[in-house]
Amino acid sequence: MSRMSKAYIAGIYEHPTRKAVDKTIPQLHAEVAIGALKDAGLTKDDVDGYFCDGDAPGLGGMSMAEYMGLNITYTDTTETGGSSYVVHVGHAVEAIAAGKCNVALITLAGRPRAEGLTTLGARDRGGELPERGFEIPYAPVITNMYGMAAMRHMYEYGTTSEQLAWIKVAASHHAQHNEHAMLRDVVTVEDVVNSPMISDPLHRLDCCVISDGGGALIVVSPEIAKSLGDRCVKVLGHGEAVKHLNGGNFDLTYTGAAKSGPIAFAEANVKPADIDYASIYDSFTITVLETIEDLGFCEKGQGGKFVSDGNLISGVGKLPFNTDGGGLCNNHPSNRGGMTKVIEAVRQLRGEAHPRVQVPDCTLALAHGTGGQISTRTGAGTVILGRNDA
């Protein structure tokens, strides 16, 4: 069955650097933009819409449009953390459908590794955070917050550290084929559970890498897509949501994907069982486990069994995931991994992933981004993508 789309992803680019000591953040934005435009067969003069989030310096879209010499009629600087770039895809589709723009450029760039940031903490944005006065005195750090969610999932459903480790194992099986991945060694369950404990029950190898770099996407109208050939990928469905503490009425075992996923599936008119490949935000192994459950790939509480059966490994399992190695092994630019999730999903649908991890006859793909922290306030973005000839 042929599925119609209001817009298409025509160009993608992932910056090859993992430590950008010789580049500024604006330079990285410009370089990924050039790469994505080249991939699409377009130029900067074709761009009339620009999307970015808080990683863009200065006044966001305004500053970067000037830096890159863009003549735009529409801009969107929605900030939902690591889910921002998945959310931006949906916003770009709607802007195009509304006639606000025809060629949307979305860019991500950051230098957290060069600047010495770690998974233990994030940039302190000071008084702008309304929750700061309530939470900062207790000195929570990111790994503690995810460890708390993991511990609760274990308590509720009997999930084990060994089951979580299978997520890292799957990512490492894929990363070995990615020349740019920060961690290319294949690891075992034993390697993961024997790595140093960072925040009980999360070990070092349960945590993502920290990298510099970035990526870009070009989203275009159907009319422009027709002129660019069959490498364009359909955007079939999009959902976004925010989950927060809700005055304490809060379940640590769920993420915002429980809301954004059903919206995206309904718009695309497909089911989880129809998905051939999934890019899942993987800041920590527990992030993946809960997201897989929330998106409906298995029942709540059954994620541990699902991943330990090898289902995430390409060529072996039911749901090949993060075939570039993901944030756990490849890169996590600017601590915002949603962008790279969309990029690898597009590669899979084009048949351009590494031959050893390419999903045969990949027709439908999902990309999901998580922002904030799954134990406090979370932004969620889900997109369903389809191959152009399907």
Side-chain angles (χ1 to χ4, degrees):
M1 179 180 67
S2 179
R3 297 179 174 90
M4 302 300 293
S5 175
K6 293 185 289 187
Y8 293 70
I9 297 177
I12 59 172
Y13 184 78
E14 179 184 347
H15 205 290
T17 189
R18 298 296 181 262
K19 190 169 185 179
V21 294
D22 59 342
K23 298 180 185 295
T24 66
I25 290 178
Q27 279 180 290
L28 291 170
H29 275 280
E31 289 179 7
V32 296
I34 291 169
L37 285 166
K38 182 179 179 180
D39 182 62
L42 297 169
T43 73
K44 72 178 183 66
D45 293 333
D46 296 309
V47 176
D48 55 0
Y50 177 64
F51 296 70
C52 63
D53 83 343
D55 66 82
L59 296 175
M62 292 169 59
S63 298
M64 291 309 304
E66 179 177 24
Y67 182 84
M68 293 190 285
L70 302 176
N71 182 21
I72 59 174
T73 58
Y74 190 87
T75 186
D76 183 331
T77 57
T78 298
E79 166 70 273
T80 59
S83 61
S84 297
Y85 301 94
V86 181
V87 168
H88 287 161
V89 171
H91 288 194
V93 170
E94 295 305 320
I96 289 169
K100 300 296 184 181
C101 60
N102 289 298
V103 177
L105 166 65
I106 308 170
T107 65
L108 154 74
R111 301 175 67 249
R113 188 179 180 201
E115 294 171 7
L117 299 181
T118 72
T119 53
L120 292 177
R123 297 177 179 88
D124 182 2
R125 300 186 181 186
E128 72 178 77
L129 295 176
E131 68 274 7
R132 186 175 189 272
F134 297 94
E135 297 176 5
I136 294 298
Y138 297 95
V141 295
I142 293 174
T143 48
N144 293 160
M145 305 304 278
Y146 279 81
M148 183 168 62
M151 189 65 79
R152 187 66 191 183
H153 201 280
M154 290 178 170
Y155 175 80
E156 292 283 353
Y157 301 111
T159 308
T160 68
S161 291
E162 288 76 13
Q163 289 175 330
L164 285 176
W166 271 99
I167 298 168
K168 178 73 169 195
V169 170
S172 73
H173 273 271
H174 301 152
Q176 66 177 313
H177 306 298
N178 183 351
E179 63 178 326
H180 299 300
M182 290 181 65
L183 304 178
R184 296 187 66 184
D185 291 340
V186 176
V187 299
T188 65
V189 168
E190 290 73 22
D191 291 332
V192 179
V193 297
N194 289 330
S195 64
M197 185 69 75
I198 301 299
S199 182
D200 194 14
L202 299 178
H203 303 81
R204 178 185 291 169
L205 293 182
D206 286 297
C207 307
C208 69
V209 300
I210 294 295
S211 75
D212 300 341
L217 305 168
I218 305 294
V219 184
V220 303
S221 67
E223 293 74 21
I224 291 176
K226 288 179 183 178
S227 70
L228 297 177
D230 59 6
R231 293 178 71 243
C232 295
V233 165
K234 298 176 181 178
V235 183
L236 299 173
H238 168 260
E240 61 183 276
V242 173
K243 182 189 177 187
H244 53 74
L245 291 172
N246 195 29
N249 184 17
F250 184 78
D251 188 337
L252 285 167
T253 67
Y254 283 84
T255 73
K259 295 181 179 179
S260 64
I263 296 170
F265 282 117
E267 184 176 336
N269 194 27
V270 300
K271 305 180 298 296
D274 297 323
I275 299 299
D276 301 308
Y277 166 80
S279 284
I280 306 292
Y281 195 97
D282 54 345
S283 48
F284 298 87
T285 51
I286 185 60
T287 315
V288 177
L289 189 79
E290 290 195 7
T291 302
I292 287 172
E293 295 176 341
D294 295 339
L295 290 173
F297 291 115
C298 65
E299 293 182 8
K300 176 56 69 175
Q302 295 301 307
K305 182 179 187 304
F306 184 86
V307 300
S308 62
D309 284 344
N311 280 313
L312 302 184
I313 301 175
S314 184
V316 176
K318 299 176 182 177
L319 187 71
F321 104 121
N322 295 10
T323 45
D324 61 342
L328 288 169
C329 295
N330 176 26
N331 68 343
H332 191 211
S334 192
N335 295 339
R336 297 164 188 269
M339 169 66 75
T340 54
K341 300 300 171 279
V342 179
I343 289 173
E344 184 67 5
V346 172
R347 290 192 191 113
Q348 281 286 350
L349 290 167
R350 288 176 170 180
E352 295 176 358
H354 191 283
R356 296 294 296 274
V357 297
Q358 175 66 51
V359 176
D361 194 30
C362 187
T363 302
L364 288 171
L366 174 146
H368 179 83
T370 301
Q373 303 171 30
I374 62 173
S375 55
T376 54
R377 53 208 59 82
T378 308
T382 309
V383 292
I384 310 294
L385 306 176
R387 197 171 65 196
N388 198 5
D389 61 353

